Amino acid sequence: MAKCMNQWKSKLPWRIAEVLAYALMLLAVLAFFTGNGEFIYEGF
């Protein structure tokens, strides 16, 4: 099973999904970071 997963992870659709996931995480950080050293949810 590990061999099959390693083969699948090297495929282009997996790489595209991986890049999109990291881009979404980066956008979430940029959207919710206030610039004052804390995230918005920490202010509640």
Side-chain angles (χ1 to χ4, degrees):
M1 180 158 175
K3 183 180 178 182
C4 181
M5 287 189 65
N6 285 335
Q7 288 176 347
W8 192 72
K9 284 184 176 181
S10 65
K11 303 283 184 190
L12 185 62
W14 176 261
R15 293 293 179 188
I16 292 172
E18 193 175 27
V19 168
L20 286 175
Y22 280 110
L24 287 173
M25 286 188 281
L26 179 63
L27 288 174
V29 168
L30 292 175
F32 293 108
F33 188 68
T34 62
N36 297 324
E38 64 181 19
F39 287 95
I40 290 174
Y41 70 86
E42 293 175 347
F44 293 113

